[in-house]
Amino acid sequence: MTNSSQKADQQFSTVDDSKTADADKLIDVITEALLDKQAEDIVVLDVNGLTTLADKFVICHAQTDVQIKAIADNVNVETKEQLGEGAWKEEGRETRRWVILDYVNVVVHIFKKELREYYALERMWNDASIRKIEDE
């Protein structure tokens, strides 16, 4: 049985079946958390329709592994405090070279600068619309 109250444009629901994660609010909180910790070159890729992995990718980089940890921690804290959302899965916390925070419909990629250049996710998903996030 499916929950008919879920929005049609949202691919997954949160663990709490009574509500659906709002990707736009989630992205706003995530990008603010990234900016708070000086993440660099933040972009949001709309991959909806290109993959079933997620609707959006948020990609950024940092210069040091300590900064990568601080950025990931801040994203976790802010999404939990502001939206009650926790990452469904996390990868890369030990090495802190490429941390992935998976919020199901939004996946956050926090790279060390040289790894971001090497893997070039923006080029891999070049059919996706890209929105650059700038500090105001």
Side-chain angles (χ1 to χ4, degrees):
M1 186 167 143
T2 60
N3 183 351
S4 60
S5 68
Q6 292 180 351
K7 290 191 224 167
D9 63 335
Q10 300 256 307
Q11 189 173 1
F12 301 102
S13 65
T14 60
V15 175
D16 177 2
D17 228 13
S18 66
K19 67 176 184 171
T20 301
D22 183 336
D24 292 331
K25 284 182 184 174
L26 186 56
I27 287 171
D28 288 345
V29 171
I30 289 168
T31 56
E32 281 303 314
L34 296 173
L35 289 168
D36 285 348
K37 295 298 178 184
Q38 269 58 119
E40 298 179 36
D41 195 16
I42 304 167
V43 295
V44 177
L45 276 64
D46 185 346
V47 295
N48 188 18
L50 300 175
T51 182
T52 58
L53 296 173
D55 293 333
K56 311 270 186 180
F57 289 162
V58 179
I59 304 171
C60 68
H61 69 264
Q63 299 296 327
T64 68
D65 62 336
V66 173
Q67 186 184 13
I68 290 170
K69 180 186 182 313
I71 291 168
D73 289 347
N74 199 46
V75 170
N76 281 335
V77 166
E78 293 300 322
T79 56
K80 195 62 141 171
E81 284 181 3
Q82 293 187 41
L83 302 172
E85 294 283 338
W88 174 68
K89 186 149 176 117
E90 294 184 8
E91 294 291 331
R93 279 234 179 233
E94 303 78 35
T95 59
R96 293 186 266 182
R97 295 169 42 87
W98 178 3
V99 173
I100 299 170
L101 305 174
D102 186 344
Y103 289 90
V104 182
N105 57 344
V106 176
V107 178
V108 182
H109 299 268
I110 308 165
F111 283 99
K112 193 136 188 205
K113 185 176 181 175
E114 54 274 3
L115 278 182
R116 182 179 187 175
E117 292 168 358
Y118 178 79
Y119 286 104
L121 291 185
E122 293 97 330
R123 284 197 310 267
M124 181 185 302
W125 296 100
N126 65 356
D127 288 343
S129 65
I130 298 176
R131 179 170 52 112
K132 191 164 181 60
I133 306 296
E134 309 239 338
D135 200 1
E136 297 174 359

